[in-house]
Amino acid sequence: MSSDYYEILGVERDASAEQIKKAYRRMAMKVHPDVATEPDAAEKFKQVQEAYEVLSDPQKKSIYDRGGDPMGGGFGGMPGGGFGGFGQAGGFAGGFDFTNLVDAMFGQQASRGPRSRVRRGQDALVRQALTLSEAAFGVTKPLNVDTAVVCPRCEGSGCADEQEPVTCTTCSGNGEITQIQRSFLGDIRTSQPCPACRGYGTVIPHPCGECSGEGRVRSQRTLNVKIPAGVSTGNRIHLESQGEVGPGGGPAGDLYVELVVQPHEVFTRDGDNLEMVLRIPMTAAALGTSFEVATLEADREDTDEAERSITVEVPAGTQSGTRIAVPNRGIPRLRGSGRGELGITLVVQTPTKLDSHQKDLMRQLAEARGETQPSAQVHKGKQGVFDRLKEAFGA
């Protein structure tokens, strides 16, 4: 392999530090002895290391660019060579630290350090049932919430008798311990949270008897939740900082109240519209009439009497299934103005029990209308769709 450091890493002489670093990562992964199968992989990997050591150091790079010897004695095992030669076991002589390779390839890994005992709490979700009228017109409801709150005895510190946490003697307050393992590449250092303090860097010798050192306890409380008009099932009310208090008495998360609207015995909801079914006698449908219909406002105690019902006019000859729309009697729009409509579907009821006198009257009506025998048109032979349409329209 060429001794030109730029050629070894495959970069131009004016390459930036970031470009040099990326090129080194790519080449190191390509020629690493654990990955490459070529017999000279170890030597290539050594030269890639040397090239990166020089080009990543501004002072050594400056000496190299001026034609000097940045290593102070040349390559491979010469004094000042930096990495030294390979030993008989295949590892680097001179105690090469494998973490240097990892840091260069994947970025410098800083120590995590001790983690704070005070952390933000989790968000909480509760469900609240509403009647249809409450969902339509809005309401303020008391909500019982069971969440973690700051411990009243230690005020979140987790310590008994106003004491303070003390530095962990196992990790000396670092929150983590380092283990060193030997490999053919040298020493491999790994860090993990301290098992004595669980990564906090401190321990609580005398925990609070109320919260056992957590700094928080569970408690029930009541919140008054204002629910706007026009909500529906699945809508959520967001209450900031009303959720679970965090460990160590940390700031509380948020509380979300998910709304569930219960079915109504008369009305059904279709978006912003209300729908209902009104059953009327056959005679009323034939002759026409008017009905008083209770509105959704009738479910509210504070509604004006005039708003509790409306008069519905049924014209003569109304057929079963006719829908009468009453504007502005539906659900108030959640994000907007006005209300939907109230749809009243009429179902004409046929009498099932008639006395002899009523039957005589019905027969007289049928004879007067020529309806004593039902008539039906039967299509003879095969007719197409267009033939049937022409016949229906008298064409």
Side-chain angles (χ1 to χ4, degrees):
M1 181 178 283
S2 171
S3 59
D4 185 338
Y5 290 151
Y6 292 100
E7 185 176 345
I8 291 174
L9 296 184
V11 296
E12 301 294 333
R13 300 189 71 86
D14 59 349
S16 65
E18 185 62 26
Q19 290 174 327
I20 292 173
K21 186 175 183 179
K22 290 182 178 179
Y24 168 68
R25 293 176 180 175
R26 181 176 63 255
M27 291 301 300
M29 292 295 294
K30 181 178 179 182
V31 302
H32 193 282
D34 289 345
V35 178
T37 58
E38 293 82 355
D40 60 343
E43 181 63 26
K44 290 180 179 179
F45 182 68
K46 173 187 172 184
Q47 293 191 26
V48 168
Q49 286 275 20
E50 292 175 346
Y52 179 70
E53 181 183 1
V54 171
L55 299 184
S56 62
D57 187 320
Q59 185 175 359
K60 292 180 180 180
K61 182 175 182 296
S62 177
I63 296 174
Y64 177 73
D65 289 341
R66 293 197 301 268
D69 184 2
M71 305 298 289
F75 299 105
M78 297 297 292
F83 289 95
F86 283 88
Q88 294 180 353
F92 284 105
F96 169 68
D97 188 350
F98 184 68
T99 57
N100 292 335
L101 171 63
V102 175
D103 290 344
M105 292 176 65
F106 302 105
Q108 182 69 27
Q109 181 180 5
S111 173
R112 288 184 293 267
R115 58 190 180 122
S116 174
R117 290 185 178 275
V118 180
R119 300 194 304 277
R120 181 183 184 273
Q122 294 182 338
D123 295 340
L125 173 67
V126 296
R127 290 179 173 84
Q128 176 63 51
L130 299 175
T131 65
L132 183 58
S133 63
E134 289 174 339
F137 304 115
V139 67
T140 299
K141 291 186 73 71
L143 178 66
N144 294 324
V145 182
D146 184 356
T147 60
V149 298
V150 175
C151 176
R153 179 177 297 182
C154 67
E155 298 181 348
S157 69
C159 301
D161 302 327
E162 299 184 356
Q163 298 186 21
E164 297 291 337
V166 298
T167 302
C168 175
T169 57
T170 302
C171 65
S172 299
N174 293 322
E176 60 183 14
I177 57 175
T178 301
Q179 296 179 338
I180 301 177
Q181 295 179 335
R182 297 285 182 178
S183 74
F184 73 95
L185 291 176
D187 295 342
I188 299 178
R189 292 180 173 87
T190 59
S191 298
Q192 62 183 12
C194 174
C197 66
R198 296 184 296 171
Y200 294 121
T202 59
V203 294
I204 300 178
H206 303 289
C208 171
E210 184 74 16
C211 64
S212 301
E214 274 288 308
R216 57 180 181 171
V217 295
R218 299 205 69 82
S219 176
Q220 285 193 351
R221 54 201 171 99
T222 301
L223 300 175
N224 288 323
V225 181
K226 185 177 181 180
I227 299 171
V231 297
S232 57
T233 295
N235 288 153
R236 291 184 176 183
I237 307 296
H238 178 203
L239 302 177
E240 189 176 0
S241 301
Q242 294 294 335
E244 302 279 351
V245 165
D254 297 338
L255 176 65
Y256 293 88
V257 183
E258 187 172 89
L259 306 176
V260 180
V261 182
Q262 298 172 329
H264 194 275
E265 59 182 2
V266 175
F267 300 102
T268 58
R269 181 173 180 175
D270 182 14
D272 292 330
N273 295 336
L274 286 176
E275 300 292 338
M276 65 172 294
V277 175
L278 179 62
R279 302 181 184 276
I280 61 175
M282 181 182 65
T283 53
L287 301 175
T289 187
S290 62
F291 288 94
E292 288 290 323
V293 176
T295 63
L296 186 60
E297 283 88 343
D299 290 353
R300 306 177 64 190
E301 296 180 356
D302 58 346
T303 303
D304 188 358
E305 190 65 31
E307 297 291 322
R308 291 177 173 270
S309 64
I310 56 175
T311 301
V312 179
E313 297 291 339
V314 179
T318 295
Q319 300 298 307
S320 186
T322 300
R323 181 180 182 273
I324 299 175
V326 182
N328 295 319
R329 285 294 186 172
I331 302 292
R333 295 182 176 88
L334 179 61
R335 297 178 180 87
S337 59
R339 296 171 59 176
E341 64 184 21
L342 171 61
I344 304 173
T345 300
L346 303 177
V347 176
V348 179
Q349 292 181 308
T350 302
T352 58
K353 295 181 180 180
L354 298 174
D355 58 27
S356 58
H357 177 66
Q358 292 171 342
K359 288 180 181 180
D360 289 339
L361 293 175
M362 293 294 290
R363 290 190 189 99
Q364 294 175 23
L365 177 61
E367 291 174 357
R369 293 182 52 83
E371 297 173 350
T372 56
Q373 293 293 331
S375 61
Q377 294 182 349
V378 179
H379 296 284
K380 297 181 180 180
K382 295 182 178 179
Q383 288 182 309
V385 175
F386 290 104
D387 292 333
R388 296 179 183 179
L389 288 175
K390 289 180 180 180
E391 182 176 313
F393 288 98

